[in-house]
Amino acid sequence: DLSAALKQNPWFGEAINGRAAVRFHRKDMEGALADFALMAQLMPERPEPFANRGEVRRAQGKLQEALEEFAQALGRDPDFGVALNSRAVTWLELGEDEKALADLDRCIEKNPYYANPRFNRARLRLKRGLPQAAIEDWEAILKIEPEAPGNAEVRANIEEARKQIGEASGEKR
């Protein structure tokens, strides 16, 4: 019985989750799905296994199935930032910008120090012709994670958005 094994050794669940993550990164999607399904059986009240299965489905290009998994995760924790952000990315892939923006706004509201949704919202804002709003999100990322490895890209995005603002106002750079 898996529940008994988990009670006896709480690290059993972490080991399965770790193996699933390794399988995912090695592109063994079926193995990752099997492990995340096992995690969902072991901890049916937790959102993580469902959000992780959603990530696998999205990586497989099965976007509707990914949305279903993210909905399962959010049914367990409506403020779970990883699921909100991942569902937003899926909505973006489907061209559903309004739904994506709603999830990103909610994710940022509930998880203000989680940088990923700010990055995704900034990209969406820039796409929608709102470079100043995008800059605000990117600058918030630099405050949240001042030493993050991806900050060079964030700074480059800020400069590109500033160029767009200058071009829109007729400035020459």
Side-chain angles (χ1 to χ4, degrees), residues 77-119:
D77 180 354
D79 299 329
F80 186 50
V82 171
L84 284 166
N85 183 61
S86 294
R87 186 171 72 177
V89 171
T90 307
W91 285 128
L92 288 170
E93 291 177 12
L94 289 167
E96 296 282 353
D97 291 1
E98 290 301 320
K99 291 178 181 179
L101 185 58
D103 276 350
L104 293 168
D105 286 344
R106 181 171 170 199
C107 186
I108 292 165
E109 175 189 332
K110 299 295 181 178
N111 306 277
Y113 299 105
Y114 182 25
N116 289 357
R118 286 188 188 276
F119 187 85

Side-chain angles (χ1 to χ4, degrees), residues 54-70:
E55 288 293 340
V56 173
R57 293 299 187 197
R58 190 164 60 82
Q60 293 176 317
K62 298 177 180 178
L63 301 182
Q64 291 301 325
E65 290 179 34
L67 291 173
E68 292 167 17
E69 295 289 355
F70 297 134

Side-chain angles (χ1 to χ4, degrees), residues 3-60:
S3 296
L6 187 60
K7 285 179 183 170
Q8 209 170 35
N9 183 357
W11 293 107
F12 178 64
E14 290 301 318
I16 293 169
N17 193 55
R19 183 176 70 182
V22 168
R23 286 177 164 176
F24 178 78
H25 291 290
R26 290 184 175 166
K27 309 275 189 251
D28 174 9
M29 299 304 174
E30 294 309 315
L33 277 175
D35 282 345
F36 289 134
L38 180 56
M39 289 300 300
Q41 287 177 346
L42 290 170
M43 298 184 281
E45 73 287 351
R46 301 290 312 215
E48 293 89 345
F50 300 94
N52 290 333
R53 287 189 340 199
E55 288 293 340
V56 173
R57 293 299 187 197
R58 190 164 60 82
Q60 293 176 317

